[in-house]
Amino acid sequence: MTEAAPRSPSAGRAKLADVAALAGVSVGTASKALSGSGRMRPETRQRVLDAVEQLGFRPNQHAQSLHTGRSWTVGLMTTDGIGRFSTPVLLGAEDALGAGKISVLLCDTRGDTIREQHHLRNLMDRRVDGIIVTGRRTDARPPMSGVDGIPIVYALSPSTDPSDTSVASDDRGGAQLAVEHLIATGRTRIAHVTGPEHHAAARDRARHAVDVLDRSDLRLSGGRVHFGEWSEAWGRRAADAVLRTAPDTDAFFCGNDQIARGVADALRERGLEVPGRIAVVGYDNWDTMALACRPPLTTIDMNLTEIGRIAALKLLEAIDSGPTPGVHTVPCRLVVREST
């Protein structure tokens, strides 16, 4: 006697048992694969997700909530109304959460603490299972207050409380990649132009750049870090200032791509070939800036989408088995283009 094939969507609404049968797993394993909980081989989870797609399965969220005490929803809260940095983080988080069929509620606080508390109360009223908080800067932020036992993971902007779970970019590694790349291309008189000194990203990248130069028995061209603004206009002014005091500068490491594009413009206006005479490295790998620059910029990619993905996985882990406190860093990567 042959075994009955799992029903198709046309035969009626598919059930979890149908998904399990098609994937060749138990109903319990199928349930864990959909919720993102439990430990299993990636290929097992993928078989379940493929079966869900094939059968057009739609879980009964109300029944799941009653059975598990979970709402199967997660809040994503951002302080970045523009979305330049937080959007890739949120996309990475949503991709990871979507694999478990968890609904995502997006809240934009626009950097307003009153609005943040308003959104927090709404998320708690909806009984979300957890919250991911992100922003547009790498500066540490105070932990959210008034949270009644809801797991929270901070992405890109880590919490100042070491007992919280945070996922951040590895600025030390990013600065090291940039400076070591310039040194490997034969540059020894490297200037550093960056943003406001009160921003953690500017301070940290500058400190780590100087450390790498020290280890190579080199010093900053011009003798100091040039702090300023995150803008192309500042990059143009800073390039002129550096070359007035240190005309033998042969490379610029810039704190972001906007500054680097401004530097490249100033060098071109002076008739200085990039990278023949002076090399330029940016930071962020913002396509709008890096690819439009002439020549296209070598830059550091912060892996923002990966930060979001790992933050989501940390949140699922916190929901299922408890948090993993501390700051978890995500490596940056060097993207080489024509400016070096």
Side-chain angles (χ1 to χ4, degrees), residues 58-326:
R58 294 294 179 267
N60 185 328
Q61 299 289 358
H62 179 65
Q64 284 185 320
S65 297
L66 291 176
H67 177 67
T68 64
R70 289 176 57 176
S71 66
W72 306 100
T73 57
V74 162
L76 293 180
M77 191 176 295
T78 176
T79 63
D80 180 11
I82 299 174
R84 161 67 191 95
F85 293 98
S86 64
T87 296
V89 173
L90 297 177
L91 290 174
E94 192 172 34
D95 285 346
L97 295 169
K101 306 302 179 185
I102 295 175
S103 298
V104 177
L105 302 176
L106 176 60
C107 304
D108 180 9
T109 71
R110 305 178 195 175
D112 186 331
T113 54
I114 295 176
R115 188 182 294 269
E116 180 175 280
Q117 285 299 308
H118 168 74
H119 284 308
L120 179 59
R121 286 193 297 271
N122 283 341
L123 291 174
M124 292 173 64
D125 288 344
R126 290 173 177 266
R127 303 179 65 83
V128 295
D129 296 323
I131 301 173
I132 294 174
V133 180
T134 189
R136 62 178 177 267
R137 288 168 58 173
T138 62
D139 298 77
R141 54 152 293 157
M144 300 190 74
S145 60
V147 183
D148 298 333
I150 299 175
I152 296 182
V153 174
Y154 299 85
L156 186 62
S157 305
S159 170
T160 55
D161 187 343
S163 66
D164 287 333
T165 302
S166 300
V167 182
S169 179
D170 180 12
D171 269 342
R172 176 192 295 273
Q176 181 172 334
L177 285 172
V179 176
E180 288 184 346
H181 172 67
L182 288 171
I183 294 173
T185 61
R187 314 294 171 158
T188 58
R189 297 177 296 280
I190 302 169
H192 184 47
V193 179
T194 190
E197 191 170 4
H198 64 274
H199 282 209
R203 292 194 312 274
D204 293 345
R205 292 166 195 171
R207 183 176 73 255
H208 298 318
V210 170
D211 287 345
V212 176
L213 289 172
D214 285 344
R215 292 198 297 270
S216 301
D217 293 325
L218 297 173
R219 299 293 178 266
L220 280 173
S221 182
R224 67 181 180 89
V225 174
H226 290 259
F227 291 103
E229 305 164 357
W230 301 114
S231 70
E232 293 172 72
W234 165 239
R236 290 191 291 270
R237 296 196 307 272
D240 289 339
V242 168
L243 293 174
R244 278 198 304 270
T245 58
D248 59 347
T249 297
D250 61 8
F252 282 84
F253 168 38
C254 303
N256 79 349
D257 291 338
Q258 287 172 277
I259 295 172
R261 185 173 175 182
V263 167
D265 287 346
L267 297 177
R268 187 170 62 253
E269 290 168 3
R270 282 171 167 259
L272 298 174
E273 184 184 353
V274 177
R277 168 68 175 79
I278 300 179
V280 180
V281 173
Y283 208 106
D284 294 339
N285 196 27
W286 183 12
D287 285 354
T288 302
M289 289 291 157
L291 298 180
C293 182
R294 291 294 175 265
L297 278 174
T298 292
T299 184
I300 301 298
D301 192 310
M302 297 170 65
N303 277 334
L304 296 174
T305 302
E306 182 68 2
I307 289 174
R309 189 187 73 84
I310 293 178
L313 295 178
K314 291 292 181 185
L315 185 64
L316 291 175
E317 182 180 348
I319 293 169
D320 291 328
S321 56
T324 52

